[in-house]
Amino acid sequence: IRAFLQQLKFNVQKALFIRSLRSQGNIIIRLKPPRSARVEVSIKDAPFRGAADAPVTIVEFSDFQCPYCKRVHSTLVQLLEKYAGKVKLAYRDFPLESIHPLAQRSAEAARCAQDQGKFWQYYDTLFKESPKLSPSDLSRYAAQVGIDPAKFDACLKANTHKNTIQRDIDEGRRLGITGTPAFFINGRPVSGAQPLGTFARM
């Protein structure tokens, strides 16, 4: 008991001594908080919607078979409406073929739709109908949005945009993307199907 009480007094005195040292110390912190990381993300040849000269550019890396990408789609539509003229949304493909076997073909189909000036109509339809993305579904959606079926089928059959999709995948990997959806808002990364408030704050 005596040893315990001595140790207790010692700990109290030690704490008081440390507190007195801290109160007399003159500590200056010269480190500045780090700036938010920004990276260069190319949107060359990427389809975009919104004002071309918008001060805010959101680059979306997505997968048409991804359920989280489908979930965030309506959020992006709301964002473009809320900040009309101030936000531009650019699309890059990042199909996760290992878990979404229909994603690569869907991405190529969307680029074939882009060739006919119907990318965003087709994009909206794919997310609305996903995960129904079989080859016959892709052709049916093309007809729904007014795409020439013969040109569309020929484009898909020739794998016209396979290399375009691969360039997007390579760029995404270089940027450290491992899952979808992934976004860059003026170069600042945002991961996952975030709510509208998160995008608005950024």
Side-chain angles (χ1 to χ4, degrees):
I1 293 171
R2 186 182 294 114
F4 172 76
L5 291 173
Q6 285 176 341
Q7 186 63 44
L8 197 62
K9 285 183 180 179
F10 173 78
N11 289 342
V12 170
Q13 290 302 315
K14 181 181 172 185
L16 289 171
F17 179 62
I18 290 171
R19 192 181 303 162
S20 70
L21 289 176
R22 282 183 177 157
S23 67
Q24 296 168 23
N26 187 18
I27 299 170
I28 299 172
I29 298 173
R30 298 193 182 275
L31 293 174
K32 293 181 180 177
R35 293 181 179 177
S36 296
R38 288 182 191 266
V39 293
E40 287 292 325
V41 186
S42 173
I43 58 169
K44 184 176 184 286
D45 300 326
F48 71 87
R49 67 198 325 178
D53 59 349
V56 177
T57 298
I58 301 173
V59 183
E60 172 188 10
F61 281 83
S62 198
D63 170 323
F64 288 111
Q65 199 179 349
C66 162
Y68 300 103
C69 301
K70 178 174 182 167
R71 185 189 302 171
V72 82
H73 174 252
S74 60
T75 302
L76 296 173
V77 171
Q78 291 175 57
L79 199 67
L80 288 167
E81 289 172 358
K82 183 174 181 177
Y83 297 103
K86 297 178 181 178
V87 171
K88 172 172 63 179
L89 174 67
Y91 185 83
R92 303 289 301 271
D93 286 293
F94 201 80
L96 302 169
E97 257 192 305
S98 60
I99 55 173
H100 299 144
L102 303 176
Q104 174 72 26
R105 204 66 175 157
S106 300
E108 291 182 39
R111 296 307 178 124
C112 289
Q114 183 184 4
D115 290 345
Q116 296 190 44
K118 299 280 187 177
F119 176 83
W120 291 107
Q121 295 93 320
Y122 198 74
Y123 162 100
D124 290 336
T125 302
L126 288 181
F127 278 126
K128 179 185 172 190
E129 300 294 341
S130 180
K132 298 174 185 174
L133 301 170
S134 69
S136 60
D137 289 327
L138 297 178
S139 297
R140 185 161 49 86
Y141 303 151
Q144 283 177 15
V145 300
I147 291 170
D148 183 305
K151 289 180 182 176
F152 177 82
D153 290 342
C155 174
L156 260 184
K157 189 176 180 181
N159 296 318
T160 306
H161 294 289
K162 187 176 181 180
N163 291 338
T164 303
I165 310 301
Q166 189 57 52
R167 279 197 299 273
D168 282 4
I169 293 169
D170 293 342
E171 171 81 348
R173 286 178 179 154
R174 182 188 70 77
L175 294 166
I177 296 172
T178 56
T180 55
F183 304 93
F184 292 88
I185 302 178
N186 281 359
R188 292 165 64 193
V190 176
S191 182
Q194 299 293 333
L196 182 66
T198 300
F199 286 100
R201 281 194 299 275
M202 292 287 282

